[in-house]
Amino acid sequence: MSLIKSPLYNLLLRARMKKNKKKIIANIKMNGSLSFNEIYFNKIKKNFNNFENLNIGLCLPYPYLFQAKNFLEHTKICWGSQNVAKFESGPHTGEVSAPMLKDFGSKYVIVGHSERSTAYCESDENIAHKFEKIKKYNMTPVLCVGESLIEREAGIMERVVSSQIDAIVKINGAEVFEDSIIAYEPIWAIGSDTAASPAQVDKMCNFIKDHICKVFNGNFKNFSIIYGGSVNSKNAVQLFASESLDGVLVGRSSINIEEFFQICSTAENS
Ligand code: 13P
């Protein structure tokens, strides 16, 4: 029996993953203003800095990175962006590069979000190049993968997700996944009334973990799998009961500070 499939391997893997702090990443999307953020960041600083078991990251629109740095530097809260250019500099009007994000203290960078790949026709190859730039500048990619409703109904979600991961491996090699975050975000659950069920999340997160472990040839590596898609304070309780989940990527509920606090409290105590 190969080590990759053995129960001992899975046990060791789960034990290792469990030791990590839970990642709670807010995808603020195109929301906020200087005045809104001032109140928001102050509340985050005051009430979210004492969580012991969490790594909290706020992924913001580019113009507010400087404000986040001013408010959140010297706290445990990290920040970052929702996209990055695949180039480092040069004639790319309207783009923002990885070194620029780094200048503003960014840690997390969302890449491959379906709202971008659908609206701006972002290819898997582009996403792979962006992923590489994020790693090169010592930031943490939050790679979004997930299937559409049609793909789920056709039962091909595992094939879809593994091909999204393999596109990164093909261009960058498997090592880039070390210390990275993969967010399982089924497109049909984003911005909807219903999140994926804990059983669906569990199954796909385990599939992704096993797939990456195979890509790593069974060597232990540190990476996290989180879930995104209509996470709120109510479903967080069930979601965090799952052993397979290392955290969540929160959209709408992250800009409601009370709701976001509840999600973090649930994660802290689970
Ligand atoms: P919602 O939580 O608003 O469904 O958004 C999820 C998302 O897109 C996070 O990246």
Side-chain angles (χ1 to χ4, degrees), residues 49-258:
N49 207 32
N50 293 329
F51 289 118
E52 298 274 316
N53 305 318
L54 306 182
N55 287 325
I56 300 175
L58 310 176
C59 292
L60 301 156
Y62 296 133
Y64 300 131
L65 291 175
F66 188 58
Q67 194 187 14
K69 188 171 188 294
N70 281 342
F71 275 85
L72 301 174
E73 211 166 25
H74 312 302
T75 71
K76 287 194 271 179
I77 314 300
C78 297
W79 59 93
S81 68
Q82 302 160 18
N83 186 29
V84 65
K86 68 172 177 174
F87 305 102
E88 285 184 48
S89 64
H92 306 290
T93 304
E95 292 288 280
V96 174
S97 72
M100 291 171 184
L101 297 178
K102 191 73 184 172
D103 269 351
F104 290 95
S106 299
K107 175 167 171 63
Y108 297 107
V109 182
I110 296 175
V111 62
H113 194 286
S114 59
E115 282 163 10
R116 290 202 58 79
S117 36
T118 314
Y120 305 102
C121 302
E122 186 145 62
S123 68
D124 282 351
E125 193 188 334
N126 261 6
I127 293 168
H129 288 301
K130 291 178 176 195
F131 194 102
E132 187 269 324
K133 291 292 176 296
I134 300 165
K135 292 291 291 185
K136 181 173 173 189
Y137 285 88
N138 289 321
M139 298 179 287
T140 305
V142 182
L143 173 73
C144 298
V145 297
E147 78 285 356
S148 66
L149 187 58
I150 293 174
E151 288 162 340
R152 174 156 281 269
E153 283 170 353
I156 57 166
M157 51 277 182
E158 294 178 352
R159 204 190 319 155
V160 170
V161 165
S162 56
S163 85
Q164 290 165 339
I165 291 169
D166 294 347
I168 306 287
V169 176
K170 189 172 158 206
I171 292 191
N172 300 315
E175 303 73 38
V176 283
F177 279 110
E178 176 125 40
D179 297 325
S180 298
I181 301 176
I182 299 178
Y184 172 57
E185 286 216 313
I187 298 170
W188 48 271
I190 296 174
S192 76
D193 288 336
T194 338
S197 72
Q200 288 170 323
V201 172
D202 212 40
K203 189 163 178 235
M204 287 306 287
C205 288
N206 277 320
F207 169 78
I208 293 169
K209 265 182 191 164
D210 290 345
H211 187 74
I212 303 244
C213 286
K214 275 184 212 148
V215 169
F216 277 135
N217 260 339
N219 295 322
F220 292 119
K221 298 285 177 195
N222 196 38
F223 61 91
S224 307
I225 313 280
I226 65 177
Y227 166 77
S230 298
V231 175
N232 59 36
S233 59
K234 290 191 189 72
N235 57 34
V237 179
Q238 280 186 306
L239 285 169
F240 282 116
S242 161
E243 289 251 316
S244 59
L245 208 61
D246 301 314
V248 283
L249 180 55
V250 188
R252 282 158 296 168
S253 297
S254 64
I255 44 177
N256 176 333
I257 204 88
E258 285 81 22

